Amino acid sequence: MKIVTTQSELASEIDALKGQGLSVGLVPTMGALHNGHLSLIAQSKKSTAITVTSIFVNPTQFDNKEDLLKYPKPIKEDVKKLTEVACDILFLPEVGEMYQEGEKWDYEVGVLDSILEGEFRPGHYKGVTQIVYKLFSLVKPDIAFFGQKDYQQFLVVKKMANDFNLPVQLVACDIIREDDGLAMSSRNIRLNGEEREASIALFKALSYIKQNYKEMSIVDLLEEAKQYFNNGFLKLEYL
Ligand code: AMP
């Protein structure tokens, strides 16, 4: 696997590959890789000749400074995992490589920015579009792979690609879960034992909704599903 840290190096790699007529798949990540990320890479490897994975903890999409500081960065383990799954290129830039001082990004995300996750993380999706636009411009992927775990993010990226007429196909991949149903996530390692146990409420509530949505009214369904979050550890933001 080639590890590339600068935009210019990446651009010349991509030019050479595209010059040979090879198709390129992109899997954008923030690292601390788990089987969810690896499933996206597996899908890319099936669909394209070359797979580029990016690892970049993008500061502009964090509305919470502490979350940014605490974000796990096990880069050695990540490189090992990527090598094992035969990823072709890892793009691993520093913040200064991706952003100029005082840089502006005025893309209007629209309604998705103010509902559900957007309502509770102001500016998050604006930051996501800023970095994904840069990655798309640099890697020029034929296909980019995202997880359904962040479905709202997928819709935001889809809208941006559409608004700018970007020549990229977007694929939303299945959610990979732990044995008890919790979706794999880089942040899960920050949960202590009790919190980890409590987190399963999310999967239980969603499973309850999936099982009962045909028979129950939306109001009753939400009321019942909300009960799963009354375990003393969780504060429900939206359902
Ligand atoms: P992240 O590193 O958290 O920014 O995630 C990078 C990509 O991996 C995003 O497209 C996520 O939706 C996707 N992803 C994260 N966790 C999972 C999972 N458990 N299953 C499938 N895809 C995932």
Side-chain angles (χ1 to χ4, degrees):
M1 179 175 71
K2 239 180 205 151
I3 302 179
V4 173
T5 58
T6 65
Q7 296 200 20
S8 58
E9 227 183 316
L10 181 64
S12 57
E13 284 290 335
I14 297 293
D15 279 352
L17 293 164
K18 291 247 160 184
Q20 295 169 52
L22 296 171
S23 59
V24 174
L26 171 66
V27 179
T29 82
M30 298 205 299
L33 302 177
H34 50 67
N35 286 342
H37 298 114
L38 300 184
S39 76
L40 267 50
I41 293 166
Q43 205 140 323
S44 173
K45 285 189 68 73
K46 264 193 218 159
S47 319
T48 58
I50 297 293
T51 292
V52 179
T53 300
S54 60
I55 295 183
F56 182 65
V57 182
N58 174 37
T60 69
Q61 72 187 67
F62 282 79
D63 55 302
N64 177 331
K65 258 206 175 130
E66 202 188 327
D67 188 26
L68 174 60
L69 291 173
K70 280 191 181 165
Y71 205 85
K73 287 186 181 159
I75 193 62
K76 260 193 192 162
E77 288 90 334
D78 284 353
V79 168
K80 186 165 176 275
K81 286 175 190 171
L82 290 172
T83 309
E84 280 166 5
V85 298
C87 172
D88 300 290
I89 297 176
L90 165 61
F91 181 48
L92 185 65
E94 296 286 342
V95 172
E97 182 66 23
M98 296 308 284
Y99 291 114
Q100 312 264 325
E101 198 72 42
E103 189 176 316
K104 277 203 169 150
W105 175 249
D106 288 328
Y107 177 68
E108 190 52 62
V109 175
V111 68
L112 288 165
D113 211 17
S114 55
I115 59 166
L116 304 170
E117 190 78 359
E119 184 186 344
F120 291 91
R121 297 176 76 182
H124 171 64
Y125 288 121
K126 200 163 186 160
V128 167
T129 55
Q130 186 177 23
I131 190 63
V132 172
Y133 184 85
K134 281 175 189 271
L135 290 170
F136 282 0
S137 309
L138 282 168
V139 178
K140 303 185 190 83
D142 296 276
I143 315 181
F145 299 84
F146 295 85
Q148 284 176 18
K149 175 171 131 319
D150 303 282
Y151 188 63
Q152 193 169 355
Q153 168 176 276
F154 180 75
L155 295 181
V156 167
V157 171
K158 209 165 142 181
K159 177 180 181 292
M160 181 194 68
N162 200 40
D163 286 349
F164 288 112
N165 293 310
L166 303 180
V168 58
Q169 183 191 334
L170 303 176
V171 174
C173 305
D174 287 347
I175 301 174
I176 305 298
R177 298 180 176 280
E178 303 287 357
D179 289 343
D180 65 0
L182 181 68
M184 290 187 180
S185 164
S186 305
R187 289 182 177 90
N188 288 352
I189 54 170
R190 281 167 36 190
L191 301 174
N192 67 31
E194 285 171 316
E195 290 165 345
R196 172 65 185 81
E197 212 164 289
S199 69
I200 196 62
L202 189 54
F203 181 64
K204 285 190 176 154
L206 292 173
S207 301
Y208 178 86
I209 291 172
K210 191 175 175 185
Q211 274 159 24
N212 294 289
Y213 76 94
K214 285 185 184 154
E215 290 83 32
M216 289 171 70
S217 73
I218 295 285
V219 173
D220 290 348
L221 199 54
L222 281 174
E223 210 40 60
E224 285 300 315
K226 277 180 187 170
Q227 305 307 318
Y228 287 95
F229 297 91
N230 294 331
N231 60 17
F233 282 93
L234 305 174
K235 188 176 143 273
L236 182 65
E237 290 185 332
Y238 62 91
L239 184 61

